[in-house]
Amino acid sequence: MTLLCGLGIASPVSADDDKQSMFNPVNFGVTSLAIAPDARGGGLGDIGAATEADANSQYWNSAKYPFNIARAGVSVSYTPWLRQLVNDINLANVAGFYRLGDYNALSASLRYFSLGEVALSGDENAMTINPYELAVDVGYSRMLSERFSMGVTLRFIYSDITYDYTSESSAGKAFGADISMYRLGYFMMGQRECSFAWGLNLSNIGSKISFGGDDNSEFLPTNMRLGMNWTIPFNSYNRLSILADANKLLVPTYPKQRDGEADVDYTDRVQRDYYDISPITGIFKSFSDAPGGFKEEMQEIQWSVGMEYNYNDRFMVRLGYHHEAETKGNRKYVTAGAGFKMSVFSIDAAYVFSTAQSNPLDQTMRFTLGFDLDGMKDLFGKRKRR
């Protein structure tokens, strides 16, 4: 089963052309891997490549874990998904880490995406199924200097979303890996010591996934995320972070039929140029295969900007904006969030306000509960920053 992630544009068209001809989707399997799991990143407009390290860094950039102040931590996140359409699709995510000394960290996460109950009817074999997607991963990260770190994550993916249970269909299984890096530096701005960080994460590099029934496998949502974080302290208690992320799916664009091209020739070209290529070949092909040329390649980049106000590491307010080109999915929305942190636990919430019409993501909420397993050490004092 193929799930559509976005919309595309094949070539420049006039206002009189059929709008459908502008659509050129970027298709991939296991779409739940592209959903931001936690409320902090969700409240910033889906930003996380260069934010300060926390327990949820596994999804955004696992290289940040060695920069965590706490020795260990765990978080649980819950997102009711597409509530404008249905009421039983949910995403649950558990993530945690443990620092090995001052320079290394181990991390892991488990995500479960439930599509609710689906009633199959219309024949004598009517039944109710519960399709779902599951991913479990482990990561290792290490500081290569006082300001620079790298990380690697290995992931197992299981997708049971087949609606046609026959002898030829089956659940899909795949393996993926993330490669990430993070750089944190400090500089003086007047009398204030500010910080600037950047992060890069190449995620879900791995095999294709197949659900049986034919010889064609789907690409995983391989993605390149680049982010920056500029933090300005106003005094000992107040600071402001200005953040931005840019994303590009490293998945080839599904070919469109050319004018005058015979159906059999088009089918052969799709098989040769899309289904038969390897995931690694697809990564390199994704930078130059858009039918609309460089302009369309740039439209495939999603970007987000956000701000986070932090008071004394206890109370946080967040605001963000996420943009995707209209011809590539039109997911444009403003996000808002807040967080409250004590010595041992923290709670975060985020909310989505869609700026595009008929966006099913409108009014999406995210919740995250975090536990600082090293927090008791700070019960009577403020933690010292690196």
Side-chain angles (χ1 to χ4, degrees), residues 254-255 261-276:
Y254 194 88
E261 184 177 23
D263 290 344
V264 62
D265 293 335
Y266 172 61
T267 301
D268 291 342
R269 184 166 62 88
V270 170
Q271 188 69 42
R272 181 181 63 256
D273 295 344
Y274 187 80
Y275 287 113
D276 288 348

Side-chain angles (χ1 to χ4, degrees), residues 286-308:
S286 68
F287 289 98
S288 59
D289 66 341
F294 178 76
K295 179 180 178 180
E296 186 176 347
E297 291 290 351
M298 296 302 294
Q299 290 174 340
E300 290 183 353
I301 298 176
Q302 304 173 40
W303 54 266
S304 304
V305 293
M307 294 189 302
E308 181 181 60

Side-chain angles (χ1 to χ4, degrees), residues 40 44 239-241 243 306-310 316-318:
R40 184 191 183 197
L44 292 169
R239 67 178 187 269
L240 179 70
S241 295
L243 311 107
M307 294 189 302
E308 181 181 60
Y309 166 75
N310 185 307
M316 288 71 69
V317 177
R318 307 177 181 106

Side-chain angles (χ1 to χ4, degrees), residues 48-325:
T51 53
E52 290 185 359
D54 60 17
N56 295 293
S57 297
Q58 186 84 335
Y59 175 81
W60 303 103
N61 185 345
S62 65
K64 297 189 297 181
Y65 277 120
F67 288 86
N68 256 295
I69 298 172
R71 179 67 61 182
V74 64
S75 72
V76 180
S77 300
Y78 175 75
T79 302
W81 194 245
L82 299 181
R83 280 298 186 260
Q84 294 282 55
L85 302 179
V86 293
N87 60 5
D88 59 354
I89 298 181
N90 307 288
L91 173 65
N93 188 82
V94 181
F97 73 96
Y98 180 79
R99 285 200 297 117
L100 305 171
D102 294 330
Y103 303 103
N104 306 275
L106 294 176
S107 54
S109 72
L110 169 67
R111 70 161 50 205
Y112 181 83
F113 183 69
S114 171
L115 280 79
E117 290 190 353
V118 178
L120 302 181
S121 58
D123 56 43
E124 59 184 12
N125 297 319
M127 55 185 287
T128 299
I129 62 174
N130 298 92
Y132 69 95
E133 294 180 336
L134 175 74
V136 58
D137 52 44
V138 293
Y140 171 76
S141 50
R142 178 178 176 83
M143 295 179 65
L144 303 181
S145 72
E146 291 185 356
R147 301 302 178 197
F148 180 74
S149 62
M150 294 190 68
V152 61
T153 301
L154 302 178
R155 179 172 296 111
F156 171 72
I157 302 157
Y158 184 88
S159 179
D160 187 5
I161 57 173
T162 303
Y163 290 88
D164 181 21
Y165 281 85
T166 66
S167 59
E168 296 181 346
S169 64
S170 62
K173 304 179 184 67
F175 293 91
D178 301 351
I179 301 173
S180 56
M181 57 186 67
Y182 179 70
R183 174 69 166 81
L184 173 64
Y186 295 90
F187 64 96
M188 297 302 297
M189 190 176 71
Q191 300 298 317
R192 301 185 180 95
E193 184 182 52
C194 302
S195 67
F196 181 84
W198 62 264
L200 175 66
N201 186 25
L202 303 177
S203 59
N204 299 314
I205 304 169
S207 62
K208 290 184 177 180
I209 189 166
S210 175
F211 301 95
D214 57 41
D215 297 328
N216 298 329
S217 300
E218 302 297 332
F219 290 92
L220 296 179
T222 307
N223 184 75
M224 178 174 64
R225 178 183 296 273
L226 177 65
M228 56 78 65
N229 176 10
W230 179 28
T231 300
I232 308 168
F234 299 114
N235 51 46
S236 299
Y237 298 96
N238 301 274
R239 67 178 187 269
L240 179 70
S241 295
I242 302 172
L243 311 107
D245 269 15
N247 296 274
K248 187 183 189 311
L249 283 167
L250 305 183
V251 178
T253 304
Y254 194 88
K256 295 201 72 175
Q257 189 167 7
R258 298 163 181 163
D259 292 338
E261 184 177 23
D263 290 344
V264 62
D265 293 335
Y266 172 61
T267 301
D268 291 342
R269 184 166 62 88
V270 170
Q271 188 69 42
R272 181 181 63 256
D273 295 344
Y274 187 80
Y275 287 113
D276 288 348
I277 66 175
S278 68
I280 300 301
T281 301
I283 290 175
F284 291 99
K285 192 173 186 290
S286 68
F287 289 98
S288 59
D289 66 341
F294 178 76
K295 179 180 178 180
E296 186 176 347
E297 291 290 351
M298 296 302 294
Q299 290 174 340
E300 290 183 353
I301 298 176
Q302 304 173 40
W303 54 266
S304 304
V305 293
M307 294 189 302
E308 181 181 60
Y309 166 75
N310 185 307
Y311 174 74
N312 198 30
D313 285 328
R314 289 292 180 262
F315 179 70
M316 288 71 69
V317 177
R318 307 177 181 106
L319 184 66
Y321 175 74
H322 180 88
H323 176 88
E324 182 180 52

